[in-house]
Amino acid sequence: MTNRLLKTVFSILCCFIVLSVETAAAKEPDVSPIKCVYFVPADRQVCADAPERLGRVMTYIQDWYRKEMIRNGFGPKTFALEWDAPEKLKLYYINGERNLLEYHRNTPGNEILGKEVRKSIKELGIDTQREVVLVFHASLVWKDGKSEETCMYVGGGSHLSGMAWVMDDDMQDSASLASKEPGGYYGRPCSVGKFNSHYIGGIAHELGHALGLPHGGETEAERKTLGTSLMGGGNHTFGQELRNEGKGTFLNKASALRLSTIRAFAGELPGNKERAKMTFEQLSASVENNRNTGKKEVIIKGKVDAVPPLAGISFFNIDSSQNEYGCQTWTIPVNKNGTFRAVLNDVKADVYTCRVRGIHTSGHQNEVTVSYSLKDGDVNLIEFNVLVPLEQLRQAVRAKDADAIKKIAASTPKIKGYDFQQVADFASELLIPVPLVKVAELPSGVKTADLSYTEFMEAKTGWGPLLRRQVYSEAVFIKVGGQLFRSGIFAHAESSIKVNLSGKWKEFEFGYGIQDGSNPAPQEFSVFGDGKEIFRSEKVADRVERRKSISVDGIQVLELRTSPGGNSAWTVWTKPMLKR
């Protein structure tokens, strides 16, 4: 063999080796392992065999995610773990400064626990802006064969980082998922296996939140064949198939699509730290009867411009009686030219809020929310058909561009059943500063006063700013049940608003509800007069506006409060009017 031929063969082999390495790298992305932290209150101890036992638990969850990603067509992607030794999970221990009950799962307890853990995590050198952190806490209390959850069980994150809080217990072990032996407890006595379904499923679910997954359920067809969606109620059915008690838990397509683009599953993706943009250029919807089933289907067609491109679009369809856990989801690809077609089947006669969420190839996501109705034969899909000009209005309001609002209004053709010009006029009004009034100083001849324009003595919110006549973020307009309100107050729960009346008003008429597109976790709305409760709502967990009128005769200080029954939500007071 000549030297030239040898060089040629060598070059080919080198290319083959490089290609093989690059292919392997594409299949196995370099991902940062999640950090498993173990928090121990001052009066508690680390649960038995935690590194080995939780190693089994986390490996089981890791394998479950991998199998579900394969089933959804995204390949063997899953998160990575850290190990101190084979079969011994690396745990970062944090010793609490207080006893367990001081961290109880109420708002003050959550804040104390959160501050302590975040401070300690930082001291451990863990960067919460770049890592996914899973915090175990030894906080399940047993007494007379019954257990009580005492600390928060929650998670949240983005495509880059996140944090979840979950519980640990001596009984928690994936090796026991198949057990039908008694001895467990979850709301009532149960088997050891069912106990583990709830709590290991809870770890998988809250970790999902830390990985950036929202709540999302399953369609009727999926329920029959696959079981329960993890990000719906699947935390309670996790592993039940091992006991022949049901089909178990699956990862829906919307969750799998999202995970395929996050740092913890896919590594560093181009553009993952840059701002992403999604604009619908066309959108329309219609209702058709399926020829085979005879059931109604909502057909959505459109064209979207996105930078970076979209990996797909997910539709989260929430009916008026549901929260996010039970919402149906559908996920579709987007053509290269930006066009798409979605079929929402399994829909029934009801009022829906549909979150249309675009997942960018960079891991970013953008979302628009549309309300529509199929109730009592009334097919109302107007919001789909006005979304494009309505979104243009929102962008103009966010940019404070009055000229753009006028141009949008002038160029939008009349839409049957929808007064777009009125909405455009309101958008223009939002750009005009309005002086606030003190209702206690208004002349007696003024018979009504809108709290949207009133100066408050004090205002506190659970998150974000208190806003008048609009809401925070992309949504802009106050909307409950598809109705847009020009008068209202957005105050994210847990909130308190105090107004000085000086005993000069007779009646307070108001509406209350949860903003369309936000998480409808149970919330309570209450009104106090001089520190005494004069109204308390039922727990509101839907997107229906409720109205009430109460006497405020002689009251000096009026206070409006919103309180979460668990997770907080975007609570709004609509058309809050004082009268005399």
Side-chain angles (χ1 to χ4, degrees):
M1 188 178 291
T2 64
N3 288 338
R4 179 177 295 178
L5 182 57
L6 282 171
K7 289 180 180 179
T8 302
V9 171
F10 181 76
S11 298
I12 292 173
L13 285 172
C14 287
C15 290
F16 177 78
I17 291 168
V18 170
L19 181 61
S20 299
V21 170
E22 289 177 348
T23 302
K27 290 181 179 179
E28 300 293 339
D30 182 19
V31 298
S32 175
I34 66 172
K35 308 295 183 183
C36 292
V37 172
Y38 203 105
F39 177 79
V40 190
D43 58 343
R44 302 280 285 182
Q45 294 181 340
V46 177
C47 293
D49 303 319
E52 296 82 5
R53 186 172 41 76
L54 291 180
R56 291 191 292 272
V57 168
M58 293 308 298
T59 298
Y60 188 93
I61 294 172
Q62 182 188 50
D63 290 343
W64 180 89
Y65 269 101
R66 182 186 293 110
K67 291 172 185 175
E68 285 299 294
M69 291 296 285
I70 292 171
R71 186 186 60 77
N72 277 289
F74 293 100
K77 294 181 179 178
T78 192
F79 57 87
L81 293 167
E82 289 185 310
W83 299 91
D84 275 333
E87 300 182 359
K88 193 172 183 180
L89 185 69
K90 181 176 179 60
L91 296 172
Y92 296 82
Y93 293 98
I94 296 175
N95 294 314
E97 300 172 5
R98 298 169 171 80
N99 291 338
L100 173 62
L101 293 184
E102 294 182 68
Y103 303 110
H104 201 277
R105 58 192 305 178
N106 51 32
T107 299
N110 286 353
E111 290 176 354
I112 292 169
L113 177 60
K115 286 179 181 177
E116 270 193 40
V117 170
R118 285 185 170 85
K119 177 184 175 184
S120 298
I121 284 175
K122 187 175 181 180
E123 291 172 352
L124 288 168
I126 298 174
D127 184 353
T128 56
Q129 300 303 308
R130 290 189 54 82
E131 307 282 359
V132 174
V133 181
L134 184 61
V135 183
F136 293 92
H137 42 72
S139 58
L140 200 63
V141 176
W142 288 87
K143 185 178 181 180
D144 299 328
K146 297 181 179 180
S147 64
E148 179 189 358
E149 298 175 1
T150 57
C151 288
M152 59 180 170
Y153 217 107
V154 68
S158 69
H159 63 296
L160 297 177
S161 62
M163 183 177 291
W165 309 76
V166 298
M167 296 185 190
D168 188 30
D169 184 79
D170 292 350
M171 192 184 296
Q172 186 168 265
D173 194 333
S174 55
S176 301
L177 275 168
S179 174
K180 294 187 177 182
E181 293 295 319
Y185 192 88
Y186 188 84
R188 61 175 64 88
C190 65
S191 69
V192 171
K194 187 169 285 188
F195 171 90
N196 276 286
S197 279
H198 290 301
Y199 284 104
I200 296 178
I203 296 171
H205 179 100
E206 299 306 340
L207 176 60
H209 284 315
L211 295 168
L213 299 184
H215 287 131
E218 65 280 342
T219 64
E220 291 179 14
E222 288 172 331
R223 194 176 303 119
K224 291 176 182 177
T225 57
L226 297 172
T228 312
S229 167
L230 175 68
M231 301 313 294
N235 50 321
H236 300 297
T237 60
F238 196 82
Q240 67 174 195
E241 71 280 3
L242 301 176
R243 304 186 301 276
N244 296 317
E245 293 176 356
K247 292 188 177 298
T249 301
F250 76 99
L251 192 71
N252 67 25
K253 192 84 170 184
S255 293
L257 172 67
R258 176 71 171 137
L259 291 174
S260 73
T261 65
I262 69 169
R263 177 189 276 158
F265 271 55
E268 295 288 351
L269 294 175
N272 67 359
K273 296 174 186 175
E274 300 169 9
R275 187 173 178 82
K277 181 180 178 182
M278 179 182 78
T279 304
F280 285 95
E281 298 177 349
Q282 301 169 16
L283 192 68
S284 64
S286 61
V287 172
E288 298 178 8
N289 287 327
N290 185 291
R291 293 180 180 179
N292 297 321
T293 65
K295 293 183 178 180
K296 290 181 178 178
E297 295 179 335
V298 177
I299 312 298
I300 304 171
K301 300 177 183 178
K303 185 176 182 181
V304 64
D305 177 40
V307 180
L310 294 182
I313 298 176
S314 294
F315 297 81
F316 294 76
N317 206 41
I318 311 166
D319 71 38
S320 61
S321 64
Q322 288 179 323
N323 55 30
E324 289 178 329
Y325 291 89
C327 76
Q328 297 172 313
T329 64
W330 294 266
T331 296
I332 60 166
V334 176
N335 298 321
K336 289 184 178 180
N337 64 355
T339 59
F340 62 88
R341 182 179 186 271
V343 179
L344 311 190
N345 47 27
D346 285 345
V347 293
K348 56 188 178 182
D350 210 328
V351 176
Y352 289 95
T353 298
C354 187
R355 290 182 171 184
V356 184
R357 180 169 294 177
I359 307 298
H360 297 266
T361 54
S362 62
H364 289 280
Q365 59 184 6
N366 277 294
E367 178 182 288
V368 296
T369 301
V370 180
S371 298
Y372 70 98
S373 174
L374 305 176
K375 196 170 184 179
D376 301 325
D378 176 26
V379 177
N380 186 341
L381 303 174
I382 288 176
E383 282 204 31
F384 279 110
N385 300 314
V386 301
L387 185 140
V388 172
L390 199 59
E391 181 58 26
Q392 291 171 348
L393 277 186
R394 291 191 180 102
Q395 291 177 8
V397 172
R398 293 194 291 267
K400 302 185 185 303
D401 192 336
D403 290 336
I405 293 174
K406 292 177 182 177
K407 290 177 182 178
I408 294 164
S411 62
T412 301
K414 288 188 177 181
I415 302 165
K416 186 178 180 180
Y418 192 87
D419 193 340
F420 186 79
Q421 183 61 55
Q422 185 181 54
V423 180
D425 291 343
F426 176 49
S428 296
E429 290 175 15
L430 289 175
L431 302 187
I432 303 172
V434 178
L436 301 178
V437 299
K438 296 181 178 181
V439 293
E441 299 178 3
L442 289 174
S444 58
V446 177
K447 299 299 182 183
T448 62
D450 187 340
L451 291 191
S452 305
Y453 303 91
T454 298
E455 185 175 299
F456 301 140
M457 298 170 60
E458 183 182 287
K460 298 178 181 178
T461 64
W463 176 83
L466 178 142
L467 294 175
R468 305 162 190 270
R469 301 184 298 147
Q470 59 182 303
V471 298
Y472 184 67
S473 190
E474 308 293 319
V476 177
F477 303 116
I478 293 177
K479 281 175 57 183
V480 181
Q483 182 179 355
L484 185 148
F485 292 91
R486 301 177 71 157
S487 163
I489 302 168
F490 164 66
H492 192 289
E494 182 169 357
S495 68
S496 169
I497 302 167
K498 292 182 180 180
V499 188
N500 180 21
L501 303 186
S502 291
K504 296 180 180 180
W505 294 88
K506 300 291 186 184
E507 184 183 0
F508 178 43
E509 184 180 291
F510 59 96
Y512 56 94
I514 298 174
Q515 170 74 17
D516 284 359
S518 70
N519 178 22
Q523 310 293 306
E524 288 185 332
F525 296 76
S526 53
V527 180
F528 288 75
D530 298 329
K532 181 180 178 181
E533 184 176 281
I534 55 178
F535 166 77
R536 178 174 290 273
S537 74
E538 70 280 38
K539 287 187 178 180
V540 176
D542 55 24
R543 296 169 189 78
V544 177
E545 189 218 16
R546 294 160 171 83
R547 295 207 64 79
K548 186 72 177 178
S549 181
I550 57 177
S551 172
V552 292
D553 192 14
I555 287 175
Q556 301 295 311
V557 177
L558 181 72
E559 182 182 5
L560 313 184
R561 295 184 190 173
T562 63
S563 306
N567 294 328
S568 58
W570 289 25
T571 44
V572 294
W573 301 90
T574 55
K575 292 191 279 188
M577 303 295 294
L578 290 170
K579 298 182 178 181
R580 60 185 172 191

